[in-house]
Amino acid sequence: MPDPSHNAQEKEEARAARRWPLPQPVSGAPDPLGLYTELHCLSNFSFQRGASHPAELVVHAYLRGYRGMALTDECSVAGVVRAYMALKDYEQMLEEVEKAQPDVRYKRD
């Protein structure tokens, strides 16, 4: 029987090693797309309907400046959990980059 703590540690290391693309730096001007919210989005957890991983959807929504995204998978909430984890990982990566480059801001308020 596999050791669940070992698998969890491997998953955590794989998530930490992920390299996401950086968004455009935040400027003082308001972004006209910043008010947009995607209200119908399917991930690969919707059987034979969605194709993208929840993490990809979250990162691309962040890169496009969306204010929010509704992940509406059918018959499962597993995609929402993965999307939330990806968002937290992505925000942590942005904070680390901002600490290394104090003159550039990526995170949105």
Side-chain angles (χ1 to χ4, degrees), residues 24-95:
Q24 292 295 320
V26 176
S27 63
D31 184 10
L33 290 177
L35 300 177
Y36 184 77
T37 300
E38 182 66 49
L39 295 178
H40 181 68
C41 186
L42 298 175
S43 73
N44 60 348
F45 284 90
S46 287
F47 183 64
Q48 292 187 347
R49 296 208 49 217
S52 298
H53 296 282
E56 294 171 349
L57 294 170
V58 167
V59 170
H60 286 290
Y62 198 97
L63 290 173
R64 287 179 178 83
Y66 292 1
R67 198 69 171 155
M69 180 184 78
L71 192 56
T72 56
D73 286 329
E74 298 173 0
C75 303
S76 175
V77 293
V80 174
V81 174
R82 304 262 173 108
Y84 181 76
M85 290 171 36
L87 178 62
K88 292 301 168 191
D89 289 345
Y90 192 65
E91 288 178 340
Q92 181 182 6
M93 189 233 13
L94 290 178
E95 287 175 5

Side-chain angles (χ1 to χ4, degrees), residues 23 69 83 99 101:
M69 180 184 78
K99 285 179 185 175
Q101 303 171 355

